[in-house]
Amino acid sequence: MGASDELEYLKNLVSQLNEKIGALEAKAKSVVAPKTPASQLRAILVGPPGAGKGTQAPKLRDEFCICHLATGDMLREQVQKKTALGVEAKKIMDAGGLVSDDIVVGMIKDQLENNKACKNGFVLDGFPRTVPQAQKLDGMLQSRNEKLDSVVQLLIDDQLLISRITGRLIHPASGRTYHKEFHPPKKAGIDDVTGEPLITRSDDNVEALRKRLTTYHAQTGPVVDYYKAKGLWRGIDAAQSPSVVWDNMRSIFVGKK
């Protein structure tokens, strides 16, 4: 084969390869990976006040691109926006009543349907607190052909929790938290970012905390047993540093993705 013949052969070969590559690229672009439960994350974070839910849930949100649904925040948002659920909830609260489980589950469903941040899943914080609430949540998720992946409980001794919370300082506008001993602000009583005064929550006192913890244990025990029976429960020692707690928590969810 002469040089010109070999050159022509190679040109034809390159042309055929380019055509093959183009066809394969076009085929790859036309294939959309199916959305499976493995690509999503649906979790509940359980823990007493001050255990670190407010620290860890945003980390889960940012790490896995899911939405953080704190029921208290959702309720305030719905009331502020004067949605149908918000108007109904406000009437009940103004009358001194407790918002029904159906309303709260309806708010969660509304978020899952309309909040784009929830497309990859969610972490629920503050709900469910009772077994009937857990059952209603299961029913709502089942109606969407979805189910929970994990229920993670932050475990910590009550006495340690009380010492943690009674030293807690809060910046009301942002929700930033400090601690007089473990995480003090740069300047005593002043928010590092805005320079505004920090406050101590009125219910962050020993007597009020003991009552809140008694209620928490009474309510949460049956809920934890409910999820243990389903094989969804995982416990994490929340007495460790926040970074160690996060490492332990992340290791649970990495395998879910």
Side-chain angles (χ1 to χ4, degrees):
M1 181 184 292
S4 60
D5 292 333
E6 187 175 359
L7 182 61
E8 191 63 30
Y9 169 75
L10 289 173
K11 283 182 178 179
N12 287 333
L13 186 59
V14 169
S15 177
Q16 291 173 19
L17 286 172
N18 283 334
E19 287 179 6
K20 183 72 172 176
I21 290 169
L24 289 172
E25 286 179 340
K27 184 177 180 181
K29 287 179 181 177
S30 67
V31 176
V32 178
K35 191 175 184 180
T36 65
S39 70
Q40 297 204 338
L41 185 66
R42 304 180 190 90
I44 293 173
L45 200 52
V46 180
K53 299 191 300 298
T55 298
Q56 302 300 335
K59 289 185 177 183
L60 284 173
R61 175 197 65 203
D62 296 342
E63 176 80 7
F64 298 106
C65 299
I66 58 179
C67 61
H68 171 207
L69 301 180
T71 48
D73 292 342
M74 280 192 297
L75 188 57
R76 284 187 288 273
E77 182 184 354
Q78 294 275 348
V79 170
Q80 186 178 13
K81 289 184 176 179
K82 297 181 179 178
T83 64
L85 287 170
V87 170
E88 188 178 351
K90 190 173 187 303
K91 286 180 182 176
I92 295 169
M93 290 188 294
D94 287 347
L98 292 174
V99 176
S100 72
D101 296 346
D102 287 330
I103 289 179
V104 178
V105 171
M107 289 180 179
I108 295 170
K109 184 179 181 182
D110 178 71
Q111 288 290 314
L112 299 185
E113 291 176 351
N114 299 306
N115 186 344
K116 291 181 180 178
C118 297
K119 67 177 181 178
N120 293 324
F122 61 84
V123 55
L124 256 179
D125 168 8
F127 189 90
R129 295 178 186 270
T130 65
V131 171
Q133 288 177 350
Q135 292 169 335
K136 286 181 183 293
L137 178 65
D138 282 347
M140 184 272 286
L141 291 174
Q142 189 174 6
S143 72
R144 293 171 50 82
N145 294 317
E146 297 176 350
K147 61 181 180 179
L148 291 169
D149 298 309
S150 300
V151 176
V152 178
Q153 184 178 13
L154 297 176
L155 303 165
I156 186 168
D157 180 74
D158 283 3
Q159 202 54 46
L160 176 57
L161 199 59
I162 288 170
S163 68
R164 269 191 185 183
I165 296 179
T166 50
R168 188 163 62 177
L169 298 167
I170 298 172
H171 179 239
S174 68
R176 274 187 293 277
T177 58
Y178 302 85
H179 192 280
K180 293 175 183 176
E181 182 181 350
F182 307 124
H183 176 47
K186 294 174 184 176
K187 186 177 179 181
I190 300 298
D191 178 47
D192 290 349
V193 178
T194 65
E196 295 171 345
L198 300 172
I199 66 165
T200 299
R201 276 179 41 169
S202 59
D203 56 350
D204 281 358
N205 62 74
V206 174
E207 185 180 350
L209 279 169
R210 289 195 188 282
K211 289 181 181 178
R212 287 164 66 193
L213 289 169
T214 298
T215 301
Y216 165 80
H217 292 306
Q219 289 182 335
T220 305
V223 175
V224 166
D225 290 341
Y226 175 82
Y227 287 122
K228 280 182 177 178
K230 289 177 172 286
L232 296 173
W233 179 89
R234 297 289 296 274
I236 293 179
D237 179 5
Q240 305 171 97
S241 70
S243 61
V244 174
V245 173
W246 166 242
D247 288 341
N248 292 338
M249 185 173 297
R250 187 180 183 280
S251 68
I252 292 174
F253 293 113
V254 164
K256 301 289 183 183
K257 290 296 284 177

